[in-house]
Amino acid sequence: MDGLVDRIGYFSALILVEGMDIDFLHKCALEDSVDRHQFATTQEVCQEMDKLLLTLGDIPHHAPVLLSWALLRHTLCLDESSQVIRRLGSIAIQQNAFQYMTQMLKALGSGGNNCTASTARMCIYGLLSFVLTSFEEETLGEQQHLINLACEVFAAPNLAELFWDTEPTTGLAVLLDNNCGMFPQSMAPLLQLLSALISDKSTAKKVYSFLDKMSCYTELYKHKPNDVLSHEDETQWRRQTPKLLYPLGSGQANIRMPQGTYGTVMPTAQGYLVRWHYSYSGWTIFTCEIEMLLHVVSTADVLLHCQKVKPIIDLVHRIVSTDWSITDCLLPITSRLYMLIQRLSSVMNPPMEVIASCVNTLTVLATRMPAKVWADLQHTGFLPYSVTQITGIVQSISAEGMQAGSYGNLLLSIERPQGKYSVTTAFLRLVITLVKGQLGSTQSRGLMPCVVFVLKELLPTYHKWRYNVYGMREEIGCLILELIYTILNLNLEEESQGSPPSLQAMCTHCLANTEAGQAIINIMAIGVDTIDTVMAAQPSSSGSEGSGQTLTQTIKLAFSITNNVIKLKPSSDVISPLEQALTQHGTHGNNLIAILAKYIYHRHDPALPRLAIQLLKRLAMVAPMSVYACLGSDAAAIRDAFLNRLQSKTEDMRIKVMILEFLTVAVETQPGLIELFLNLEVNDGAVGSKINGMRSQEFILGEWSCLQVVLEFIDSKQQGKYWCPPLIHRAAIAFLHALWQDRRDSAMTVLRTKDRFWENLTSVLFGELPAPADITEKSVLETCAFTLKIICLEIYYVVRGSLDQSLKNTLNLFFDKKRYEYWSEYIKSLVIYMTETDTDGASTFLEFHKLISAWRMFLVLATSYEDVMHLCDCPLRLQLLHDVLEATKILLTAPLSAPCLRMGSMLATLLLILLKQWKRVIVNISKILDPLDQILESLSQSNQYFMEKTKAKIYSAIIITIQIKQLRVSDFPQYSQMLLTVCETIHNEAIVLLDQTHHALTTDSALFDDKDSMETDCAPRLQHKDQKDGVCVLALHLAKELCEMDEGGDQLVSITRTVPFLPAMLSALELSLRVKQNLHFAEASLHLLLSLAKTEQGATAVGGAGVLPSICLPLLSVYQLSANGTTQTLGSSRKSLDAPSWPGVYRLTMSLMERLLKSLRYNFLTEALDFVGVHQERILQCLDAVRKVQSLACLDEVDHTVGFILQLSNFIKEWRFHLPQLLRDVQVNLCYLCQTCTFLLHSPKVLQHYLQVKNGDTIPPAIVPRQSKPAQTPKKQQDIERDEMEQRAVLKVQSSLLRILSKTLAAIRHFTPDLCQILLDQSLDLAEYDMLFVLSFTTPAFDSDIAPSFGTLLATVNVVLNMQGEIDKKKEPMSLNVIPLTSPEETKSLKALLRFTMENCFYALISQAVRYLKDPSVHSRDKQRMKQELSSELSTVLSSISRYSRRGAPSSPAAALLLSPSNKSTSSTSKCPESQEPLIQLVQAFVRQIQR
């Protein structure tokens, strides 16, 4: 109430003074026309006013009115009123008129320079100017009161500038002139006036120039000095000698008064006051005064000199903060402030105000040159410092080795006992400025002791200190939190490993784990009621700078700090004390969560509830607690308050957005709270649908449901109105997206039933957006993104037939109105704008990224739901594919920036998916390959690491595109350039992989060596990370695809001469095999070598690059030897044959050896023999493995091994010369392999049994169907499906066995004598050919003790004949068919393979029989028995063959492929149906011959 009364008094006095029109009276007086004033002719009125005003004077509010009326009556020159004038003036002076007006202006101007304060200052300015012009200054009381009032008046806008244009003998200029005459004897009044006259840069320069050109020097003498001459009347002195005015100074810190200087003498009670007429710079005087203070700092005169120096420093502070350009001129003063702080801090009773002024001035300097100020301050010892190097966060928080500095001593010994904290506030402002100055990392860490001091000594205890000034506690708290807030919002570079902790990391850890965090919580827990109480007690005149506003700002800072600490705190399983205190449950709603929520009731500052909700959102995201439980019984009331502010049309928009964002987070993390806000009620009158025999409940929106408000926000009719701006629309759609993403079925069901819900939701997708460069509100893009995602989630989760009809209509409309085309083009325009905008800020294109990501999701979903989303139109899909490709090319071929690369990588993923799913719509492959080639070329020129995944995606896209259609090199103009780029990539990546593998081995070895040798359960050492979708592996696969396009193989071979990628690749392959790492790289490399070796030129290049030294010996590491010297079991892996594996690498190597030997023949024979010699144990074990393991992996390795032996068998003489024992072992094993395959093919039931018992699984992984069975299938149906899968498994194994058998017999054919030679050449050396089969005609067995015999070969012929017969009858029983035939080509191929097997079997049978007959070591009785048995068996076989031949059987390329070149002529006769006659004739002739 007192404040309101005072304010009424202020305005009453101002109104009366303004009513007297003093300004006009002053103007009339200057023009000698006072009769023009309105009161000049109203004598009766003036007398009445005299009588009335004489009754006043008992309260201070009367003083300005009495002074104004006395001035008015004095100016009008009415003699009869002289007594009244003196009396009124005396009363006004006694009532302290000037002090009252000073207090009045301070009170009115406390809220800033508002209209009221400016009007009051102008009114008082006119009054004070006229008073000083009309009356002698000595009659107006103490001069200091006049100066104080003048300083308040000059705070009015533009008054300081107007002052410098006035006459020096009128108005307030009189006050300035009088004080100039007393300078520097009386320095403070003049400097106070000049400080007030500084309002902008121009006035600052005028003040500097004014002091730089002083014309008189006033000093006081108690006695007349001897070195002056005086006039007779002692009114003027003249110096006889020059004088040093400051004898202790030197250089710039001194000033000399020359000889002959005249001075005017004014006698006073203290002595002689002499005003010397001498020109000098006042700034030199100031420098001398500061230097003088530095000299007398330890004497009793220090306080007297401090009184002189403080106004100087205040003036310098005012000038520097107003006009930085004058700083250099003030360097002699500012450079001495550091020493001044150091020395004054150490005196017995330090002048705290002077120290504070010095620190404040340095704070201003630190805004422009923080590094210099920090460097100079370090030498003063004023700030807290550390005597040891800070190495860790724990050390810094413990304050180990840290000293408080001079400031710490001043705080503890002076300020806290006195309750005045000017140095503390200055210190905090200085540290804040230094932190904001973005010092270097080393200098910033030097500030750590200061920050630790604040966190440990100030923040936890400042509220307990003694305070003499009201509001100082709130100001200090606000400054402390401002410092912490500044630190937590610094944009710091990533800290290197082992470097000292940053200010931000230290501050975050300290707040999260020490009592400093509890102090922040105490501030936040002040609560809305306390704030309202402080605001109510605050004078209404305080405006925006009262204690209530300071308290509010402090709490807001506490909210932001806590939010940042939670965000920046490293993730940990251990909850920090700060988080524990934040989420601690209290009783009766007194916990912190409830207090935060109740800030929604605060109305004075909208930022306070907004920041409180933001902190609640952060806590809801990271803290393991229930907000709903914390609110207790106040939950419903708080919800109502939230919704009231949310639906108010005049509420601050940012609060609405924050409430919606909080609810969006609560959908996922706060189930209880979101149910409270959804407020769904059961509709008892409605009949729900039945689900699983139970009737479901139907919900409706309650009265206090947030969905009501959200539906209003998304209403298309409300968009564009002031209460529903785009930001709120985006937040509402984001909330709905959270409901869909979290599958809130009850809420979604209610929303779907609302009229026009899907129409309102998707209305933004049917509008026209401005061009990217013209977008002013980017939140619209996020709105579109969330809308697209909601549609995707609805389509994905809802059964196709259950979609709302409204949504179906919307999707149909989306297609009809060509919105696919529109959005595809708009996405492309966003991409173009991104590449044309030169910025690296990730946040700049955040909305672009979200929209493009949503569009990607939309198109990916469309590949699986084409009918629902109306994307069955092939031209439209092709257009969308081309647009995505074009956008990807724009992003990845533009000047590379991080946002563009991230977006390009995202679109590359989409492109990859679309190419896989929509490959059927692609017509022109070159239109796809051309942009991909440009992208690949652009990416290959960049070495940035984070582009590796993008490169990999582009490689995958090119591979998929090439595989869509069989291309020739002539169809691909960019073939040569792409092949060159890929080879260069392989070269570079192989070198990098080689180095990384070496480094990993070195590191792992060191770690391994440190382990205890007795440790038996230690984990295996980490291997190098090898990814199947890495750039290196995919480049190898792409090179393979490109190589297969070139039928001649010339292109890649020519590139090997310019780009040495083969040596680099083989070096990396050698190391990978040796250490058994980089599986995917090894497999891809071998695939490329296989493709390259398909031509003779390519094989020559591969062999010349040293493929055997790189592969042969290192390959031993691929199959590990066990302790007893045997290799691991073959085919034990349950992986699919297509899955990468080290046995697969071995099989590929075997195929490569086979292909190289087939192409290079004698040029590669030595290497092939070396290879087979090194790996003979594995080869022999492989040939013997079919009896033990019949898995597809094992059979595949046997197939590759036999294929290599088949090629090597063409060089039997060389093989026998180099490796005779191995040759014999291989021959024996091949015969046993033939016997095993024949037995298994002849007995499919036995084969099925072995698959079940030995392999543990009937169905090899390669043939398991991809689709899963229904959840509930009748047992009979399950048995049928199981039988079918078992049949397919057996057929798959039979197919592999037949291939192995055919190659085995082809190889045996080379190991037995040539028929023509053994029949016609009588000189044939039989010793060169061993007897491969024993003389027996029993059925082949599965026992290794029974040697292969002629019965084995005859059984093979019978098996083949049975298979051919069943194929001709078009039957497919499991016992006879090898594979399920799906086409005539497959049937023809299988018949040719059977025919080829039978030919080789007969060939080996006849050759071995003749070998027996010609062998002299065989008894004649045995020969005769063999003839009889063989004749009988072959006759039976011939009858079957003749029947089959009459039906006709086609030949196959298999014969030509499997036979060696030297024997191709043998099978060349089988090119027509009649080609079987020679074979039958040969067998018949042989039978007739042996029957003789």
Side-chain angles (χ1 to χ4, degrees), residues 86-115:
R86 283 194 292 271
R87 186 175 176 182
L88 291 176
S90 176
I91 295 173
I93 298 300
Q94 290 175 4
Q95 287 292 338
N96 300 317
F98 299 109
Q99 295 98 306
Y100 171 81
M101 287 187 283
T102 302
Q103 180 183 354
M104 175 180 65
L105 294 181
K106 285 182 178 179
L108 294 177
S110 60
N113 216 339
N114 50 45
C115 180

Side-chain angles (χ1 to χ4, degrees), residues 726 764 767-781 784 819 822-823 825-827 829-830 833 848 851:
V764 67
E768 299 292 328
L769 295 183
D774 301 330
I775 294 178
T776 56
E777 188 55 72
K778 293 183 179 180
S779 61
V780 179
L781 301 180
C784 297
R819 302 311 290 176
Y822 170 79
W823 281 107
E825 285 295 328
Y826 193 80
I827 293 296
S829 67
L830 290 179
Y833 177 74
F848 289 12
L851 179 57

Side-chain angles (χ1 to χ4, degrees), residues 650-669:
T650 58
E651 187 56 75
D652 185 84
M653 178 192 67
R654 291 173 295 177
I655 291 182
K656 291 184 177 183
V657 172
M658 190 55 65
I659 291 174
L660 288 171
E661 289 180 358
F662 170 56
L663 294 179
T664 302
V665 171
V667 169
E668 180 180 358
T669 62

